[in-house]
Amino acid sequence: MGWNARRADWKSTLLTGAERLHCCLSAGGKPPWDELRHEVALPLLRGLKSGQPVVEGWFCFLLLSSPAVRHLLRVQLLERLTATGVYHDLADLPDITGSSVAALLAESLNWSSPEAECLFALVERAISTGSLPPKNAADAMFLAVSLQGPPAGSPRAAVGSHGADLLATAAWIRQFPDAEGTGTLPSSDLFREWLKTAAFRGLRRSWSRSSGHRAGKQRCTNVPSHWQPLQGHPVLPEGYGAMLVEWALACLRAWPDRERLVEENHAEIQERGHALLSLVRKCLARVEHADRLNSWLETGAAGLLSPPWNRHRLRTSPTGNTTLLWT
């Protein structure tokens, strides 16, 4: 078979694969992973063995950049977003890119397989040459709420350097509602983009409150380790600070003995509150617009930790910040 005939056959196979992928996703519910693996991912990846750049180009153009497939993934993401929290503006939600389509296929390939490694190497090359747009915060959110991602302990080399910050951001988003999460706070531009995207505000706030509520039920007085910026961490967007304040106030509100201790004006409530708020302020020191976030924190905490006759007793520090007057 001549090259032109092989190329035409390959393009036809790609179009059929994209159509099959679209049909599987259109059915709703959990994707049929075995079907995607054997009928879409493996046959198409085997066609890449020629190593011809034009073959990879058609793979990106006809499958990873398929408007129909990417639209379906965007709809799925919107459905997940609007089911949680309160949303005022979805206008800045980025478009899903080929990185999400590749992640979907990698999930069907169990991530650490040689085929998944080949797929992400292709995506990395395509992004570097401009054949695919760079991954964005929508890709990280889709991976976090719709897919499982690489299993714990799997080698990061399996997804290439392209996917490192995408996977780190998605992994943090996936676990951040967990009061006992692990890992570290990402410092990538992708994570900062996620914090700044208004379309994710409702989910960020809702998950922050639920995480804080669970922590408060355990009488938590410490900011979870995976929420704390590391030494040398760049200044964080205000969205991170808002999440942290929501978490802290929900934590205080959920302390099982808070109301009794407040009513008795017991010193323990002040000690525990001071311990938690001091750690929160330390984290907020690395956040944009920290002054107004601290004001929000202190005002909210005053209503939760002080007896009614003391709640109006706020004072202004020498730096101009409003702080609680502990009594």
Side-chain angles (χ1 to χ4, degrees):
M1 182 185 295
W3 167 243
N4 287 336
R6 291 200 307 272
R7 183 170 62 180
D9 183 64
W10 169 239
K11 288 160 61 177
S12 176
T13 303
L14 279 171
L15 288 171
T16 301
E19 182 179 359
R20 187 71 190 125
L21 179 58
H22 185 271
C23 289
C24 289
L25 296 175
S26 299
K30 185 178 179 180
W33 297 115
D34 287 341
E35 187 176 339
L36 287 177
R37 173 183 171 84
H38 293 292
E39 297 188 17
V40 179
L42 288 176
L44 294 180
L45 286 170
R46 280 196 291 265
L48 295 172
K49 289 184 178 180
S50 69
Q52 294 285 339
V54 68
V55 173
E56 293 190 359
W58 282 116
F59 187 90
C60 294
F61 181 71
L62 294 178
L63 183 69
L64 299 186
S65 295
S66 168
V69 173
R70 290 190 299 112
H71 175 72
L72 264 183
L73 298 188
R74 180 180 175 86
V75 169
Q76 290 182 4
L77 178 58
L78 282 168
E79 289 174 348
R80 296 297 301 272
L81 290 177
T82 53
T84 307
V86 179
Y87 292 84
H88 301 286
D89 187 5
L90 293 169
D92 69 342
L93 179 66
D95 288 330
I96 290 285
T97 75
S99 290
S100 287
V101 184
L104 182 73
L105 295 177
E107 182 90 356
S108 75
L109 294 166
N110 299 320
W111 287 94
S112 58
S113 67
E115 293 85 4
E117 184 174 356
C118 172
L119 173 62
F120 273 98
L122 182 155
V123 172
E124 184 175 3
R125 290 193 297 271
I127 290 177
S128 65
T129 60
S131 299
L132 285 178
K135 69 272 187 191
N136 59 45
D139 297 312
M141 181 61 86
F142 173 79
L143 178 53
V145 302
S146 301
L147 303 179
Q148 292 299 311
S154 63
R156 284 298 174 89
V159 298
S161 59
H162 147 78
D165 55 349
L166 175 62
L167 294 183
T169 299
W172 192 92
I173 296 170
R174 187 182 296 117
Q175 72 164 355
F176 103 74
D178 185 357
E180 299 179 355
T182 59
T184 58
L185 193 71
S187 59
S188 64
D189 290 339
L190 184 64
F191 181 62
R192 294 175 62 83
E193 179 189 345
W194 180 77
L195 289 170
K196 292 180 177 180
T197 302
F200 304 141
R201 178 180 180 273
L203 186 144
R204 289 195 302 262
R205 295 292 182 86
S206 178
W207 281 3
S208 297
R209 294 185 190 115
S210 62
S211 176
H213 180 79
R214 286 192 291 272
K217 286 294 185 181
Q218 301 173 13
R219 294 181 174 85
C220 175
T221 58
N222 191 19
V223 177
S225 60
H226 65 292
W227 281 60
Q228 298 182 30
L230 300 175
Q231 186 174 6
H233 204 289
V235 175
L236 287 157
E238 190 173 5
Y240 163 78
M243 287 164 44
L244 188 57
V245 172
E246 293 277 16
W247 178 89
L249 295 180
C251 182
L252 295 177
R253 190 176 293 110
W255 282 347
D257 52 357
R258 178 185 62 84
E259 292 185 358
R260 178 185 62 82
L261 292 175
V262 167
E263 184 177 352
E264 296 174 357
N265 199 19
H266 200 287
E268 182 184 349
I269 196 68
Q270 305 300 330
E271 294 170 1
R272 284 163 49 184
H274 179 75
L276 179 61
L277 294 181
S278 294
L279 289 171
V280 174
R281 291 190 206 102
K282 183 178 179 180
C283 293
L284 290 178
R286 296 185 176 184
V287 182
E288 296 171 354
H289 308 297
D291 286 351
R292 64 189 185 195
L293 289 167
N294 274 298
S295 179
W296 172 18
L297 174 69
E298 302 298 344
T299 302
L304 294 170
L305 300 178
S306 299
W309 57 87
N310 281 338
R311 290 178 185 172
H312 69 284
R313 296 182 63 191
L314 301 177
R315 70 183 181 190
T316 301
S317 69
T319 61
N321 296 332
T322 304
T323 59
L324 267 176
L325 177 60
W326 302 101
T327 57

